[in-house]
Amino acid sequence: MNNDFSFDYYRMTGEKYGKGIKSKIKVCFSHHIRYVKLWRNANGKMTLFRKLRLHKYAKKYGLEISASAKIGKGLYLGHPYNITVGCGAVIGDNVNLHKECTIGRENRGKRKGAPHIGNCVSVGINSTIVGNIKIGNNVLIAPNSFVNFDVPDNSVVIGNPGVIHHKENATEGYIAFRV
């Protein structure tokens, strides 16, 4: 997994991250960009100060990404409020997480553990992914879907309980500025 914030910045803004004032202003005034930068930095070396800053933003905006989650390059937070990524979750490259989505672990039963999400996945508003399951590459999880089962590559999941529909270009038009 990659801790380079520049890929996340590019996915969220469509611009190259640089040392200039324009990049710094966007980081300062966009709470979701600032949170991802803090999270990436904190995962490099989790100090008490960094933990406290992450905790402050988690409470203020509801962005709760566990320090033990592994996230690939190019994370995109769309409508970034009340997004939860639990401990042990593994998320690939070019993943979109939208408002009120939850990626969590199950603590009992046959799916005990956390999800593994592939590359180029878009998780819709108010969707829930739980348990030790595998979400393939190029998967679109529609808004308000509940997923507690494995999803193959090139699929769209719709509904609660989720129903899988095969679609070759499932995330076309949903995942912009791929890295």
Side-chain angles (χ1 to χ4, degrees), residues 103-172:
I103 299 170
R105 64 182 300 113
E106 250 182 57
N107 293 321
R108 57 184 165 72
K110 66 180 180 178
R111 289 183 304 270
K112 183 177 181 178
H116 292 257
I117 298 174
N119 299 325
C120 297
V121 175
S122 182
V123 180
I125 294 171
N126 204 35
S127 294
T128 301
I129 303 170
V130 293
N132 185 12
I133 60 171
K134 306 257 186 281
I135 306 292
N137 298 323
N138 190 36
V139 172
L140 173 69
I141 298 173
N144 299 312
S145 296
F146 180 77
V147 182
N148 65 348
F149 48 85
D150 290 344
V151 178
D153 293 349
N154 304 312
S155 299
V156 176
V157 179
I158 300 172
N160 181 4
V163 176
I164 299 173
H165 300 278
H166 177 74
K167 184 173 182 192
E168 201 57 41
N169 297 317
T171 58
E172 187 176 345

